[in-house]
Amino acid sequence: MSSILSDLIQRATRENKEIVFLCVGSDRSIGDALGPLVGTMLKENGIAYQVYGTLEEPVHAFNLEHTLKTIQRQFRQPFIISIDAGLGEREQVGAVLLKEGPLLPGRALQKVLPAVGDYHLTGVVNYLDPLPAAQFLNDTRLFTVMKLARTIVQAITNVTNNQGCAR
């Protein structure tokens, strides 16, 4: 994952795009707190790129559109890497998925929110079962969320520190 992230960031930088990490989620649900936790940890690690979505100022369903407008106003050519929690198959729990294209936040809960990002990272925090998806976000183990957050932050900080990037 780190080498792919490195290539993406290098390419975006060569194209004069400004790197933005958009960490989506809410700290009101353990399973949904992955994004804000990653955002907080990235800021604490002093990465040299703009980060939206922290535990203090989360980006969630109620302010996502406003945040996207803010990013579009602030950056001429943003290259957005979105980060969010996701639900998957039982064997995927604990995996981090890096995919091209926008993140579809809230999809597991049938929320209609704007698609965000040029690429996205999804940390699979729990699995789907016949019960409602919201139940699985609420029943997610904090250990799993913390482990995923550390993995994502480590990959991003390794890449950004090795590239000697500037804001």
Side-chain angles (χ1 to χ4, degrees):
M1 179 172 62
S2 288
S3 78
I4 296 170
L5 274 173
S6 179
D7 291 346
L8 293 174
I9 290 172
Q10 286 177 9
R11 188 178 72 214
T13 302
R14 281 193 305 272
E15 295 172 1
N16 294 318
K17 294 185 177 182
E18 298 151 308
I19 310 300
V20 175
F21 288 95
L22 178 60
C23 303
V24 180
S26 169
D27 62 344
R28 294 179 184 259
S29 165
I30 290 175
D32 200 28
L34 179 67
L37 188 57
V38 168
T40 297
M41 293 167 91
L42 288 173
K43 284 194 166 200
E44 288 172 351
N45 279 288
I47 71 158
Y49 296 117
Q50 185 66 45
V51 175
Y52 289 88
T54 62
L55 291 170
E56 184 177 4
E57 296 181 37
V59 174
H60 45 64
F62 298 114
N63 65 3
L64 180 60
E65 288 187 46
H66 174 76
T67 302
L68 290 173
K69 288 177 185 173
T70 299
I71 292 169
Q72 293 303 325
R73 279 194 310 269
Q74 186 174 352
F75 299 98
R76 214 180 56 237
Q77 285 189 302
F79 182 82
I80 301 172
I81 299 174
S82 301
I83 300 164
D84 196 6
L87 299 172
E89 301 296 321
R90 187 183 303 255
E91 58 275 357
Q92 290 179 304
V93 174
V96 178
L97 311 173
L98 171 61
K99 295 185 180 179
E100 184 175 6
L103 171 73
L104 302 171
R107 185 174 63 177
L109 302 177
Q110 283 80 45
K111 290 183 181 179
V112 179
L113 298 170
V116 293
D118 297 286
Y119 280 80
H120 65 277
L121 289 163
T122 303
V124 183
V125 298
N126 213 335
Y127 60 92
L128 285 168
D129 214 343
L131 296 175
Q135 180 67 32
F136 286 92
L137 283 176
N138 290 331
D139 288 343
T140 296
R141 294 192 61 214
L142 179 58
F143 175 81
T144 302
V145 175
M146 290 296 295
K147 187 175 177 182
L148 283 164
R150 287 186 186 113
T151 299
I152 292 168
V153 169
Q154 186 66 51
I156 292 170
T157 55
N158 283 347
V159 167
T160 58
N161 289 344
N162 289 339
Q163 292 184 356
C165 50
R167 250 182 249 217

